[in-house]
Amino acid sequence: MLGDSGTDLISDGDHLEALATRQRRVWLAAILLYGVGDTVTTFWGLSTGGIAEAGPVAAPLMEAHGRFVLLGVKVVTFGAFYLLWRLVRTPGRVAVPLALATVGALVTAWNLVVISSA
């Protein structure tokens, strides 16, 4: 709500609560898109044959240790991003889970394109 002078009458507490709610939603999107979406479509693609992991970190690890090392890569990635998110104390820190969600959406979509064309 705006006051007569155009200033925002919503308290800082309300802003922080709204931002926290949004950050939880963005973390949920990151988990669903990068954690679940990419992992499920990667395993699905690998099971169809003729499709290989192309990620510069995951591919050599999966070649050396098998498919399920991807789960460890995801845990380490989420841990690193969560630590970064905890260290950044500005409202802009929502960009940390947003980056995971965005990459997850793009990679999941790409995986589906590759699977459908195989």
Side-chain angles (χ1 to χ4, degrees):
M1 178 179 201
L2 294 179
D4 292 335
S5 64
T7 59
D8 193 357
L9 294 179
I10 299 174
S11 73
D12 285 341
D14 291 339
H15 284 294
L16 294 175
E17 186 175 326
L19 184 59
T21 300
R22 288 187 185 102
Q23 288 194 46
R24 282 190 290 269
R25 289 178 183 163
V26 177
W27 272 112
L28 180 60
I31 291 166
L32 292 174
L33 293 168
Y34 181 75
V36 176
D38 179 38
T39 303
V40 168
T41 57
T42 296
F43 284 151
W44 180 20
L46 294 172
S47 72
T48 64
I51 296 175
E53 172 63 38
V57 173
L61 289 172
M62 290 172 71
E63 189 173 316
H65 304 287
R67 290 181 187 180
F68 290 102
V69 76
L70 180 62
L71 299 175
V73 170
K74 296 291 181 176
V75 168
V76 169
T77 301
F78 270 104
F81 272 72
Y82 181 74
L83 179 62
L84 177 62
W85 178 77
R86 294 288 298 181
L87 292 173
V88 175
R89 303 307 297 170
T90 67
R93 74 186 194 155
V94 73
V96 174
L98 183 60
L100 276 178
T102 302
V103 168
L106 293 171
V107 173
T108 299
W110 177 251
N111 287 349
L112 291 171
V113 167
V114 169
I115 291 167
S116 68
S117 64

